[in-house]
């Protein structure tokens, strides 16, 4: 263990250099060919030859086979950036109107660091490691795309782990590791409801059917689903983020559209919320002589950590950092994370590597000034490598 810790610490400048390369060359969505090529080059340099490119368009998987028998562990990093114009003023800031504003640049670099340590320890490594470099986390398309391209097979995984850097969970500081048993992040779904009425003159509402009135009623009624129909012990959010209707102040529009997001932590609540949203919008539209067209898009499921794997991950982190630097994340977030798709299929654990400066110098994820404390990257590589050596 001390070997792995020392090795990871010594690797930190290299991990930082890789991170800065990714930071300066951000790519978004599924279109990450340069990131893919850079990852493949680094893996080849390390002597990893079982590499698959183009998994989920520009994702990469690679196998490190240990010389001791054992199970297959997946380690996943997301690799995509955001369509944000960077304003950090960093010497390695991106200039292509895209930005690594969520820390995925660090995730790729940390996983490369993990790979390097594991390759060097092949003789003592049990089983097989499947490295998974996944594009398009931000749009939730990457994990499903890789799953469609066979990432779960050849070989099938027995467990999977991954991490997120940054300041997603308050109360933990840089240099710590945050873990959580059970649910960590929310299921994220979207809806668009088009209310259809009958347009006409603003002075003669009785000759029209007003869809804006339907949308207003629906906006309030939707909130009642959360406050009156949801178990108060099961967190839920319905946010209407957008209303579009009407073109002139004295015209009653023929249609009005509302759209928004639904967040929940358990599958029952998730199903109930979308079902009730549909029924409420439909009922309101009909009671007001119109109709509602409800389109639901089901996004990522809730991210649920396996108890046993999380326990082993916690132990690995304690081995590296000591008890006082490893803490349970006190509550889940209502944010989504498409690692959840992998965790639906394979038991595993997604953990948090706080990496912020503190003292009010931090900006939220997705902000044009978002940045990371690079000094702690080695911890991610050390914890994942040590877990890989010891989990089975
Ligand atoms: Zn993000
Ligand atoms: Zn992220």
């Amino acid at each position: 263990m001390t070997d792995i810790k020392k090795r990871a610490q010594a690797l930190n400048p290299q991990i930082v250099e890789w991170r800065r390369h990714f930071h300066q060359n951000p790519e978004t969505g599924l279109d990450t060919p340069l990131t893919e090529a850079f990852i493949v080059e680094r893996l080849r340099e390390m002597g990893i030859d079982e590499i698959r490119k183009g998994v989920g368009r520009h994702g990469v998987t690679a196998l490190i086979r240990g010389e001791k028998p054992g199970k297959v562990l997946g380690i996943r990093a997301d690799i995509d950036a955001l369509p944000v114009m960077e304003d950090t003023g960093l010497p390695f800031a991106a200039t292509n109107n895209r930005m690594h504003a969520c820390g995925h640049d660090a995730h790729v670099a940390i996983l490369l660091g993990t790979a390097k340590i594991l390759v060097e320890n092949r003789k003592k490594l049990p089983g097989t490691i499947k490295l998974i470099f996944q594009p398009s986390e931000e749009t939730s398309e990457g994990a499903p795309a890789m799953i469609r391209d066979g990432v779960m097979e050849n070989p099938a995984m027995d467990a999977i782990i991954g991490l997120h850097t940054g300041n997603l969970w308050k109360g933990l500081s840089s240099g710590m590791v945050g873990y959580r048993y059970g649910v960590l992040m929310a299921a994220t779904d979207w809806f668009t409801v088009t209310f259809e009425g009958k347009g006409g003159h603003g002075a003669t509402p009785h000759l029209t059917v007003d869809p804006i009135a339907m949308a207003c009623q629906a906006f309030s009624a939707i909130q009642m689903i959360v406050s009156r129909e949801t178990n108060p012990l099961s967190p839920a959010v319905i946010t209407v983020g957008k209303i579009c209707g009407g073109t002139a102040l004295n015209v009653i529009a023929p249609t009005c559209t509302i759209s928004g997001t639904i967040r929940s932590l358990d599958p029952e609540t998730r199903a109930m919320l979308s079902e009730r949203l549909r029924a409420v919008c439909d009922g309101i539209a009909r009671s007001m002589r119109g109709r509602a067209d409800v389109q639901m898009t089901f996004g990522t499921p809730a991210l649920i950590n396996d108890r046993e794997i999380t326990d082993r991950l916690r132990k690995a982190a304690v081995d590296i950092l000591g008890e006082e630097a490893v803490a349970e994340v006190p509550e889940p977030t209502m944010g989504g994370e498409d690692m959840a798709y992998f965790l639906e299929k394979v038991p595993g654990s997604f953990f948090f590597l706080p990496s912020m400066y503190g003292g009010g110098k931090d900006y939220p994820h997705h902000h044009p000034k978002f940045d990371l404390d690079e000094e702690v990257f080695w911890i991610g590589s050390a914890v994942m490598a040590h877990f890989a050596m010891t989990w089975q």
Side-chain angles (χ1 to χ4, degrees):
M1 181 276 297
T2 43
D3 292 352
I4 284 184
K5 181 174 178 176
K6 281 200 190 118
R7 185 66 186 115
Q9 283 170 324
L11 265 179
N12 205 59
Q14 173 70 83
I15 297 169
V16 168
E17 196 188 307
W18 286 330
R19 180 256 169 163
R20 291 183 179 192
H21 172 86
F22 294 122
H23 193 89
Q24 202 157 21
N25 299 281
E27 296 178 296
T28 52
L30 290 166
D31 293 314
T32 54
L34 301 175
T35 309
E36 176 189 34
F38 188 87
I39 292 167
V40 169
E41 274 169 46
R42 299 293 80 74
L43 293 173
R44 290 219 170 102
E45 278 170 12
M46 292 176 203
I48 299 173
D49 44 22
E50 289 182 79
I51 300 171
R52 248 188 94 195
K53 292 169 58 175
V55 187
R57 195 161 327 156
H58 290 293
V60 179
T61 64
L63 298 180
I64 304 172
R65 293 192 193 271
E67 290 183 19
K68 291 195 168 169
K71 298 179 186 171
V72 180
L73 172 70
I75 312 181
R76 171 269 201 183
D78 44 9
I79 68 174
D80 58 314
L82 286 151
V84 169
M85 215 195 285
E86 177 157 1
D87 188 25
T88 57
L90 290 167
F92 51 92
T95 54
N96 65 354
N97 292 339
R98 299 185 186 114
M99 180 187 170
H100 270 290
C102 199
H104 302 185
D105 47 349
H107 303 172
V108 201
I110 289 169
L111 184 51
L112 287 173
T114 308
K116 179 113 181 99
I117 297 169
L118 290 175
V119 167
E120 291 168 0
N121 283 282
R122 244 181 192 149
K123 275 195 166 55
K124 288 179 280 175
L125 174 68
T128 299
I129 305 300
K130 182 183 271 189
L131 307 169
I132 300 172
F133 297 91
Q134 180 217 301
S136 216
E137 189 286 321
E138 297 290 358
T139 66
S140 303
E141 294 168 292
M146 290 192 90
I147 291 170
R148 279 196 299 277
D149 279 356
V151 75
M152 307 313 287
E153 293 104 48
N154 299 316
M157 290 171 275
D158 299 292
I160 188 164
I161 58 168
L163 62 74
H164 211 298
T165 54
N167 53 35
L168 287 171
W169 287 277
K170 308 296 170 209
L172 301 176
S173 53
S174 224
M176 294 179 77
V177 160
Y179 64 92
R180 189 175 162 81
Y181 300 109
V183 64
L184 179 71
M185 298 182 85
T188 53
D189 303 318
W190 301 275
F191 61 89
T192 295
V193 184
T194 305
F195 292 98
E196 289 169 27
K198 188 175 148 212
H201 200 292
T204 56
H206 59 295
L207 302 177
T208 73
V209 175
D210 187 351
I212 289 181
M214 295 176 216
C216 292
Q217 294 280 334
F219 177 87
S220 302
I222 285 170
Q223 297 310 318
M224 299 287 268
I225 303 172
V226 175
S227 69
R228 302 290 80 200
E229 300 185 37
T230 306
N231 180 344
L233 296 176
S234 178
V237 175
I238 304 181
T239 290
V240 175
K242 198 171 157 191
I243 299 191
C244 297
T247 51
L249 56 84
N250 58 352
V251 174
I252 289 172
T255 65
C256 180
T257 301
I258 65 173
S259 42
T261 183
I262 306 179
R263 307 289 168 113
S264 57
L265 295 183
D266 77 74
E268 244 171 74
T269 302
R270 185 187 193 190
M272 184 277 283
L273 292 170
S274 62
E275 218 172 88
R276 289 294 299 145
L277 183 123
R278 183 182 291 280
V280 164
C281 291
D282 192 54
I284 284 171
R286 277 193 287 124
S287 74
M288 297 175 78
R289 298 172 297 141
R291 64 178 290 276
D293 176 53
V294 182
Q295 301 291 337
M296 293 291 314
T297 307
F298 293 100
T300 53
L303 187 151
I304 297 167
N305 283 333
D306 180 78
R307 179 157 273 280
E308 210 180 306
I309 305 284
T310 303
D311 215 34
R312 288 177 199 182
L313 190 83
R314 190 191 68 79
K315 285 197 184 97
V318 168
D319 282 350
I320 300 291
L321 295 173
E323 286 280 354
E324 58 295 337
V326 181
E328 182 159 15
V329 172
E331 54 192 28
T333 97
M334 297 309 278
E337 164 60 65
D338 81 348
M339 173 77 174
Y341 286 109
F342 297 125
L343 289 169
E344 245 186 355
K345 297 187 181 303
V346 174
S349 199
F350 190 66
F351 69 102
F352 180 41
L353 180 70
S355 25
M356 51 276 206
Y357 297 106
K361 275 188 276 177
D362 296 294
Y363 290 89
H365 286 252
H366 296 193
H367 190 282
K369 289 184 187 290
F370 178 80
D371 192 21
L372 296 167
D373 174 6
E374 295 177 324
E375 294 306 310
V376 301
F377 291 169
W378 67 271
I379 296 173
S381 300
V383 170
M384 295 200 291
H386 182 53
F387 175 86
M389 301 296 294
T390 56
W391 72 283
Q392 33 182 312

